[in-house]
Amino acid sequence: MPDPSTSSAPAPSRPWLHRASSLGWTGALFWSCTVAVTLWLLASGYNAVVEGDTTHLHYALLGGFSGFAATALGAIAAIVLREISARTQDVMLGFAAGMMLAASSFSLILPGIEAAQSITGHQLSAACTVVLGLALGVALMVGLDRFVPHEHSKSGRKGPQTERFNRVWLFVLAITLHNLPEGMAIGVSFADGDLHVGMPLTTAIAIQDIPEGLAVALALRVTGVSALRAMLIAVGSGLMEPLGAVVGLGISSGFALGYPIALGLAAGAMIFVVSHEVIPETHRNGHETPATLGLMLGFAVMMFLDTALG
């Protein structure tokens, strides 16, 4: 009889153990912390709504669904227009990037500093509070970029176990990472009940979601996806905005300095996406100057909207 200790029989299959080992301890720790914090934030947001006025939640959801509707509009336009030149797409994405940068500055960072100063009573403490939020936003996006399997148009596949996923779904996950900070920014902007902060930011995000939805649908069609399926996927990607809005509201309601920290977090996440995703995408086809002019135009339009509506 063979010795069991030296038996060559294969070990029992443990898929969960294989996934955990391939993800690594850093990834497991990141996801554990992310899930725990997300549940806490959602509970905080729920308690704040139950104990207080539901108006903030209504505003956040309306803002999130406005972004979803704008994304859907752009996706539907992709079927009508069928084909848009790469130069035009780069200009449109540059315009969206400019609006996101201006929204981060005028509708998130500056109100965050003002809110933190009213709480702490000190300019230096207010600045440090918002900088902490910026750092948290960047850390969140770096973690998601590292530990969520997805695909970039130029640099290829990123994250763990990407070989297990179809290229289309990797692209969808990349879109999801892009839309999350936008939804969070909308939720945070309405957390204090100040429409002068929420309205300009929501308007800006909704406007820039139209070319984004269009670009996403067209990019999916290039990968071989049918026009109808590309439209449905692009429309579905916009659902991250109302979900992100609820998460952003929960961040703002969790503790006293939650509002200014959340404003900084949303700004940091959006700026990261612009620098890491949007600008490289607009420059990869050799249209740097038109894309930059589109960015400057988007920045100016958002600055005007913030001044006119805010």
Side-chain angles (χ1 to χ4, degrees), residues 110-180:
L110 293 181
I113 293 174
E114 183 179 350
Q117 189 170 352
S118 67
I119 296 173
T120 63
H122 195 273
Q123 287 185 340
L124 180 60
S125 299
C128 291
T129 299
V130 176
V131 168
L132 173 62
L134 286 169
L136 291 174
V138 172
L140 172 64
M141 297 311 298
V142 169
L144 291 175
D145 184 67
R146 179 174 178 182
F147 298 117
V148 174
H150 59 285
E151 181 169 353
H152 299 292
S153 299
K154 187 173 181 64
S155 56
R157 301 187 173 203
K158 301 287 184 180
Q161 304 183 40
T162 55
E163 69 281 354
R164 297 189 175 192
F165 294 87
N166 181 276
R167 184 185 178 194
V168 173
W169 289 111
L170 290 174
F171 192 75
V172 170
L173 288 170
I175 299 166
T176 301
L177 297 184
H178 182 95
N179 286 339
L180 177 62

Side-chain angles (χ1 to χ4, degrees), residues 34-166:
T34 299
V35 171
V37 171
T38 300
L39 292 175
W40 174 69
L41 292 174
L42 290 175
S44 300
Y46 175 78
N47 290 334
V49 169
V50 170
E51 297 173 0
D53 190 358
T54 60
T55 304
H56 299 173
L57 178 62
H58 293 161
Y59 285 154
L61 287 175
L62 284 174
F65 278 106
S66 297
F68 165 72
T71 303
L73 179 62
I76 294 172
I79 291 184
V80 178
L81 298 176
R82 296 194 176 184
E83 186 175 350
I84 298 179
S85 68
R87 179 189 178 96
T88 301
Q89 290 188 53
D90 290 341
V91 172
M92 293 169 64
L93 286 176
F95 180 84
M99 296 199 75
M100 291 176 70
L101 287 176
S104 299
S105 302
F106 298 112
S107 297
L108 293 174
I109 293 177
L110 293 181
I113 293 174
E114 183 179 350
Q117 189 170 352
S118 67
I119 296 173
T120 63
H122 195 273
Q123 287 185 340
L124 180 60
S125 299
C128 291
T129 299
V130 176
V131 168
L132 173 62
L134 286 169
L136 291 174
V138 172
L140 172 64
M141 297 311 298
V142 169
L144 291 175
D145 184 67
R146 179 174 178 182
F147 298 117
V148 174
H150 59 285
E151 181 169 353
H152 299 292
S153 299
K154 187 173 181 64
S155 56
R157 301 187 173 203
K158 301 287 184 180
Q161 304 183 40
T162 55
E163 69 281 354
R164 297 189 175 192
F165 294 87
N166 181 276

Side-chain angles (χ1 to χ4, degrees), residues 164-210:
R164 297 189 175 192
F165 294 87
N166 181 276
R167 184 185 178 194
V168 173
W169 289 111
L170 290 174
F171 192 75
V172 170
L173 288 170
I175 299 166
T176 301
L177 297 184
H178 182 95
N179 286 339
L180 177 62
E182 295 179 4
M184 291 173 60
I186 291 174
V188 169
S189 67
F190 286 114
D192 205 34
D194 188 355
L195 295 181
H196 292 90
V197 175
M199 285 299 295
L201 180 68
T202 301
T203 302
I205 289 179
I207 290 174
Q208 60 93 28
D209 274 337
I210 297 175

Side-chain angles (χ1 to χ4, degrees), residues 230-280:
M231 182 202 72
L232 293 176
I233 292 174
V235 170
S237 71
L239 288 173
M240 278 305 298
E241 302 220 3
L243 179 61
V246 176
V247 173
L249 186 65
I251 295 174
S252 306
S253 308
F255 49 97
L257 284 173
Y259 179 57
I261 290 178
L263 287 171
L265 187 152
M270 287 179 64
I271 293 171
F272 179 90
V273 167
V274 169
S275 177
H276 190 65
E277 304 269 354
V278 183
I279 292 179

